[in-house]
C-alpha cells in the first residue's frame, strides 16, 4: 500500500510515520507537508526507511504538478493538518478556517482524483482526524470553543458526504480523539493541570501510540465504521499494540 500522511511534521503525523515505517503492508510512505521531514527518532528494528519520501507542498489550495506526481498512485491518506485550539490565538479566524476546512476539502478532492493505476480497483481510504468535541449539528454548539467545534464538525460532514457521493471510489473515516497524550509529554505540573481540566470538562484521552496504531490498522485492513470515537481508537490501538507485544 502507498500511504500518504498529510501533516507529517506534526505530533500525530510523526508517530504515524514512525509506526508505518515498520508496517509490512505499507510499501510506500509519502510524508506530505510544507516542510521537509527526516526519519523520526526511535524507529523500530524492522523499520524500512527507504520507503519514506518527503513531499513538500507550498500551496495546499492549489497543488503544484510536482506534488501531484508524487501523490499519484496512493491507496490511502491520513489527514492530520489542522490548527489545534492552543494555536488558535496566534492567528485570525479566517486563517484557521482556511487551514482546518479549506485545505482538508481541497486535499480530499485533489488527492483522491489523481491516477491510481491498479489501485483504482479498490476504494481510496481517507482518514480525517477531527476531535471528540467537534459537532456536525450547529445547534449542538458547545460553550467552550463553540465556533471551532462547529467548523471542525462541518469538515467531518463534508468529507463524509464526499465519500457518499463518490460512487464507491472513496471511503472516509473520521477519527474523533479527545486529548492526545504521549509518555513524557509536558512537565509534572502541566500534566496535573491538564488532567484536572480534562476531567472537569469530561474530555477523554488517547495515547499518540494508540491512535497511530489504530488508524494504520484501519487504512490497511478497512474501516470498522465511518466514525471512530476516542474509545474506539483506544480499543483498536491497544489490541494492535498488545498483539505485537505477544
Ligand atoms: N494534539 C491533540 O491533543 C489533539 C486532540 C484532538 C484532536 N487533534 C487533532 O489531531 C490532528 C493532528 O493534531 P497534532 O496534535 O498532530 O497537531 P500539530 O502537531 O499541530 O500538527 C499539525 C500539522 O498541520 C500542519 N499545518 C499547520 N498549519 C499549516 C499550514 N498553514 N500549512 C500547512 N500545514 C500546516 C503542521 O505543519 P507545520 O509543522 O509545518 O506547522 C503539522 O504538520 C488535528 O486535526 C488535531 O485537531 C489533536
Amino acid at each position: 500500500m502507498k500511504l500518504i500522511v498529510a501533516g507529517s511534521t506534526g505530533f500525530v503525523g510523526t508517530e504515524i510515520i514512525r509506526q508505518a515505517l515498520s508496517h509490512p503492508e505499507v510499501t510506500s510512505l509519502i510524508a506530505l507537508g510544507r516542510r521537509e521531514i527526516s526519519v523520526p527518532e526511535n524507529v523500530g528494528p524492522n523499520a524500512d526507511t527507504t520507503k519514506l519520501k518527503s513531499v513538500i507542498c507550498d500551496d495546499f489550495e492549489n497543488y503544484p504538478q510536482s506534488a501531484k506526481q508524487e501523490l499519484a498512485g496512493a491507496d490511502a491518506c491520513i489527514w492530520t493538518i489542522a490548527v489545534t485550539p492552543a494555536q488558535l490565538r496566534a492567528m485570525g479566524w479566517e486563517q484557521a478556517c482556511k487551514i482546518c476546512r479549506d485545505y482538508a476539502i481541497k486535499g480530499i478532492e485533489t488527492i483522491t482524483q489523481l491516477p491510481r493505476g491498479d489501485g483504482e480497483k479498490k476504494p481510496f481510504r481517507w482518514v480525517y482526524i477531527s476531535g471528540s468535541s467537534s459537532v456536525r449539528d450547529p445547534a449542538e454548539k458547545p460553550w467552550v470553543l463553540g465556533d471551532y467545534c462547529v467548523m471542525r464538525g462541518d469538515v467531518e460532514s463534508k468529507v463524509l458526504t464526499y465519500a457518499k457521493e463518490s460512487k464507491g471510489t472513496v471511503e472516509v473515516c473520521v477519527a474523533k480523539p479527545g486529548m492526545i497524550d504521549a509518555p513524557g509529554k509536558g512537565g509534572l505540573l502541566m500534566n496535573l493541570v491538564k488532567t484536572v481540566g480534562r476531567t472537569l470538562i469530561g474530555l477523554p484521552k488517547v495515547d499518540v501510540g494508540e491512535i497511530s496504531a489504530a488508524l494504520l490498522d484501519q487504512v490497511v485492513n478497512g474501516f470498522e465504521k465511518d466514525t471512530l470515537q476516542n474509545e474506539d481508537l483506544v480499543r483498536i490501538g491497544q489490541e494492535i499494540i498488545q498483539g505485537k507485544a505477544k
Side-chain angles (χ1 to χ4, degrees):
M1 157 176 282
K2 178 172 176 175
L3 171 66
I4 299 167
V5 178
S8 47
T9 50
F11 171 50
V12 181
T14 302
E15 174 62 13
I16 295 173
I17 288 172
R18 193 189 70 77
Q19 291 192 19
L21 286 171
S22 302
H23 201 300
E25 297 292 331
V26 178
T27 49
S28 169
L29 181 59
I30 302 294
L32 176 63
R34 57 178 169 174
R35 296 185 285 127
E36 184 94 19
I37 65 143
S38 41
V39 174
E41 287 173 12
N42 306 325
V43 290
N46 300 325
D48 176 2
T49 56
T50 61
K51 65 188 179 186
L52 179 65
K53 177 145 200 188
S54 191
V55 173
I56 311 291
C57 181
D58 46 23
D59 183 356
F60 280 90
E61 286 182 301
N62 186 17
Y63 285 61
Q65 200 52 37
S66 56
K68 283 184 184 172
Q69 270 166 9
E70 298 290 359
L71 299 170
D75 304 292
C77 174
I78 303 178
W79 188 270
T80 76
I81 294 176
V83 176
T84 56
Q87 300 158 336
L88 270 181
R89 267 168 281 138
M91 66 181 67
W93 175 243
E94 287 308 313
Q95 179 69 2
C97 291
K98 184 163 115 164
I99 299 167
C100 294
R101 184 189 58 213
D102 303 349
Y103 286 6
I105 304 302
K106 192 70 184 177
I108 192 169
E109 286 175 354
T110 304
I111 295 171
T112 61
Q113 294 301 318
L114 295 172
R116 294 183 55 206
D118 277 353
E120 260 153 36
K121 292 177 198 144
K122 290 192 226 150
F124 193 109
R125 291 192 183 133
W126 189 277
V127 170
Y128 174 66
I129 308 186
S130 184
S132 60
S133 308
S134 299
V135 288
R136 293 176 196 165
D137 180 357
E140 290 172 12
K141 179 172 165 174
W143 289 101
V144 182
L145 291 166
D147 289 336
Y148 175 80
C149 293
V150 169
M151 182 265 290
R152 296 297 305 266
D154 179 43
V155 183
E156 295 179 16
S157 302
K158 285 190 161 83
V159 292
L160 286 166
T161 302
Y162 182 82
K164 258 187 214 138
E165 292 175 352
S166 75
K167 300 194 175 83
T169 60
V170 180
E171 291 176 349
V172 164
C173 175
V174 174
K176 289 174 75 69
M179 180 192 282
I180 305 176
D181 209 356
K185 190 183 177 214
L188 214 58
L189 185 63
M190 181 53 88
N191 282 337
L192 184 68
V193 172
K194 279 202 286 191
T195 304
V196 172
R198 199 172 56 74
T199 311
L200 283 177
I201 57 172
L203 187 68
K205 184 173 97 164
V206 59
D207 187 87
V208 71
E210 291 167 348
I211 183 172
S212 302
L215 297 182
L216 272 175
D217 168 74
Q218 296 289 297
V219 286
V220 167
N221 296 314
F223 298 146
E224 187 180 292
K225 46 190 168 180
D226 71 13
T227 302
L228 293 172
Q229 303 291 347
N230 191 83
E231 65 263 27
D232 298 314
L233 297 165
V234 171
R235 170 181 51 79
I236 300 169
Q238 282 184 357
E239 274 170 21
I240 306 293
I241 292 165
Q242 283 161 12
K244 275 191 194 144
K246 277 182 193 159

